[in-house]
Amino acid sequence: MTDVRTRFAPSPTGYLHLGGARTALYSWAYARHFGGTFVLRIEDTDLERSTPEAVQAIIEGMQWLGLSHDEGPFYQMQRMDRYREVVAQMLAAGTAYLCYSSKEEVQAMRDRFTELGEKPRYDGTWRPEPGKTLPPVPADRTPVVRFKNPQDGDVTWDDVVKGTITIANRELDDLIIARPDGTPTYNFCVAVDDWDMRITHVLRGDDHVNNTPRQINILRAIGAPLPQYGHLPMILGPDGAKLSKRTHAASVMEFSTMGYLPETMLNYLARLGWSHGNEEVFSMEQFCAWFDTDHLTSSAAQMNMEKLAWLNNHYIKLADNARLATLAQPLMAAQGADFAGGPDLAAALGLMKERANTVNELADAAMLFFRTPQPDPALLAQHLTDAVKPALAQFAERCATVDMSKEALGAMIKEVLAAHGLKMPQLAMPLRLVLTGQLQTPAIDAVIALLGREMVLARIQKFL
Ligand code: GLU
């Protein structure tokens, strides 16, 4: 195969949304699979909607995911001279022509076609044909440049996702490729870029299917090789509706804020539109080794938040505790965590991560080690009864000297229970309450070992 070159070509009009991230991921993985090149191109010609902040947001999202590009970012706004050059070449070659029809005239043509029950289009007034005399050029009117779209035949491509797609050329208008002020239009820029950047595979959202025959015709007219196209079906929200930022978390960085790890998002997005047998959990290394265009799904994929949570829990359990500490620390500081008075944060997170579906849940859960416990008086009265207090006192006494390992603590608690004729929950529950302020914690001996002698004694003293 020729050198594989793929691209991600976002329009910087917002954040990096899930669909965009998946397109980027597949294009990146395809290039990685073949040892090819992944190009980042910023399609910023819509001056009203493009912002530098959106460029930053997209680059930040890709960095967070670790989708590194090999070339670019190329900005379309910096390529204007090149587009003008190709427009001039096409005019010279007769594959494009000047059109002096006014906006009003074009609208009237479109209305006429609509009245006839046909597709509204440009009627070809200024389209040069052998033997045809063109109207006199109106004074004081700046022309647009139109592409001379073939009038007969079809455009057909083998879409790697959707199969063969055929569009009749008569369905396609003579598209404007340059406006009266000379600025090039969308489909034209994409075609020139894909040509110049020697793109071999275009994976993008299926909202672009209608653009593809136009781009193919332009590529043919300028003598460019055609890339392979694959149009990915859209991602639906958990409710089955189109993802929208008003009703769903749609931005990749929102998932970061909600406490999802980048490896979770990558693994999740990889499966959202592609499969490799029954594999659900895999690294990006594996994904790049497996990824091909044969197993892309052609139906829309629906988000499943339970599965995402499950996957995130899996990656949280795998994650290095020190890394989790870096992520959880600011969240806990915002809740007033007292790190100086608490145990080692990484160790605390390591103890709590088994059940955490997000880093935020993990941070919340670990707070019990970093704030003064304030047990509910009613619960205290229920669990710290007069029958239990002597056992708690003896526990505290033994704690002053016992080896603070989980094992030694476990053995010591058993001895205290035996001495007072109590069962495990009768001591474990009040211990949980006085040490953490809550009844649900990981194994009590592990909690005590983590808190350490000093803090355990200080917290118990208050209740004896
Ligand atoms: N700029 C387009 C978008 O953000 C993508 C164009 C393409 O991939 O060809 O939807």
Side-chain angles (χ1 to χ4, degrees):
M1 194 188 283
T2 47
D3 280 352
V4 166
R5 293 175 61 87
T6 61
R7 82 314 193 268
F8 177 49
S11 304
T13 56
Y15 46 83
L16 178 63
H17 56 83
L18 288 181
R22 187 187 57 176
T23 299
L25 169 64
Y26 288 4
S27 301
W28 171 83
Y30 199 70
R32 292 290 169 270
H33 180 91
F34 290 102
T37 304
F38 175 54
V39 177
L40 176 60
R41 177 167 88 220
I42 306 292
E43 304 203 323
D44 55 354
T45 55
D46 184 343
L47 293 179
E48 271 165 28
R49 297 180 61 220
S50 303
T51 65
E53 292 76 33
V55 173
Q56 259 335 98
I58 289 165
I59 290 178
E60 184 198 3
M62 289 180 70
Q63 271 170 354
W64 182 68
L65 291 171
L67 300 178
S68 52
H69 52 275
D70 306 304
E71 287 182 18
F74 298 111
Y75 293 83
Q76 288 188 323
M77 282 310 289
Q78 293 174 10
R79 290 176 40 78
M80 288 296 145
D81 289 347
R82 172 62 181 149
Y83 303 134
R84 280 182 227 277
E85 181 181 53
V86 178
V87 168
Q89 285 166 0
M90 290 175 74
L91 283 171
T95 51
Y97 61 93
L98 298 178
C99 163
Y100 291 89
S101 301
S102 67
K103 271 202 175 126
E104 295 71 33
E105 285 165 355
V106 172
Q107 191 52 51
M109 293 170 198
R110 295 174 63 87
D111 292 346
R112 264 202 309 281
F113 282 116
T114 310
E115 271 165 36
L116 292 172
E118 289 182 36
K119 232 181 133 155
R121 57 184 192 272
Y122 178 66
D123 72 357
T125 301
W126 289 90
R127 181 178 166 115
E129 301 291 359
K132 172 176 168 186
T133 313
L134 295 176
V137 171
D140 303 331
R141 197 177 292 165
T142 334
V144 298
V145 181
R146 282 188 187 270
F147 173 56
K148 204 174 171 195
N149 196 75
Q151 283 178 318
D152 304 315
D154 299 319
V155 186
T156 293
W157 77 95
D158 268 324
D159 196 277
V160 297
V161 183
K162 296 183 180 283
T164 305
I165 299 184
T166 300
I167 310 283
N169 271 321
R170 65 182 150 69
E171 296 282 313
L172 306 170
D173 221 348
D174 275 2
L175 180 87
I176 296 177
I177 59 171
R179 302 186 184 90
D181 66 359
T183 54
T185 57
Y186 176 73
N187 279 298
F188 172 73
C189 296
V190 172
V192 174
D193 286 349
D194 284 340
W195 180 31
D196 283 354
M197 295 166 199
R198 306 192 312 286
I199 301 303
T200 56
H201 295 78
V202 171
L203 296 175
R204 60 185 172 200
D206 66 3
D207 46 333
H208 287 281
V209 166
N210 287 336
N211 291 326
T212 305
R214 303 173 209 279
Q215 294 174 13
I216 289 178
N217 279 340
I218 294 173
L219 286 165
R220 286 201 173 119
I222 57 185
L226 298 184
Q228 278 206 335
Y229 292 95
H231 290 92
L232 306 163
M234 64 171 132
I235 299 178
L236 304 176
D239 53 358
K242 189 173 184 293
L243 267 192
S244 108
K245 68 175 163 196
R246 264 163 288 131
T247 41
H248 308 102
S251 136
V252 166
M253 294 316 285
E254 251 175 281
F255 284 88
S256 165
T257 308
M258 291 190 290
Y260 292 91
L261 296 175
E263 57 267 46
T264 304
M265 298 314 292
L266 288 167
N267 190 156
Y268 187 76
L269 289 172
R271 275 288 289 108
L272 205 59
W274 172 89
S275 61
H276 183 81
N278 295 323
E279 304 283 352
E280 291 293 349
V281 182
F282 42 82
S283 67
M284 280 305 103
E285 204 176 11
Q286 263 173 330
F287 180 54
C288 291
W290 288 334
F291 185 69
D292 60 24
T293 52
D294 295 343
H295 298 91
L296 289 167
T297 333
S298 58
S299 51
Q302 187 166 339
M303 290 284 291
N304 175 336
M305 296 305 280
E306 285 77 40
K307 186 174 164 190
L308 184 67
W310 168 81
L311 202 56
N312 205 40
N313 171 256
H314 169 82
Y315 283 111
I316 285 175
K317 285 189 283 191
L318 280 188
D320 183 56
N321 293 339
R323 173 181 167 215
L324 292 174
T326 315
L327 297 173
Q329 205 270 351
L331 301 174
M332 297 173 70
Q335 295 188 47
D338 171 15
F339 293 111
D344 176 55
L345 176 57
L349 296 171
L351 185 61
M352 303 305 291
K353 69 184 183 178
E354 198 64 29
R355 284 156 181 266
N357 286 341
T358 63
V359 174
N360 302 31
E361 275 180 33
L362 178 59
D364 290 349
M367 278 301 287
L368 63 87
F369 296 109
F370 302 94
R371 67 180 162 218
T372 310
Q374 275 160 344
D376 174 51
L379 285 177
L380 262 188
Q382 186 189 337
H383 292 280
L384 189 54
T385 56
D386 289 343
V388 173
K389 272 189 183 163
L392 191 66
Q394 194 190 9
F395 169 84
E397 208 180 296
R398 301 273 317 257
C399 247
T401 52
V402 75
D403 168 30
M404 291 300 278
S405 71
K406 188 171 176 285
E407 295 68 31
L409 283 163
M412 181 266 269
I413 291 172
K414 283 210 182 92
E415 286 165 26
V416 173
L417 290 174
H420 294 266
L422 296 174
K423 297 219 165 6
M424 186 56 135
Q426 289 175 289
L427 184 57
M429 286 311 188
L431 266 175
R432 286 196 164 97
L433 274 178
V434 303
L435 293 178
T436 72
Q438 55 196 60
L439 287 173
Q440 307 249 320
T441 72
I444 192 65
D445 45 6
V447 170
I448 296 165
L450 182 76
L451 280 171
R453 194 186 319 277
E454 227 176 288
M455 194 167 301
V456 168
L457 289 177
R459 288 186 179 185
I460 292 182
Q461 276 332 319
K462 292 190 205 163
F463 296 93
L464 284 177

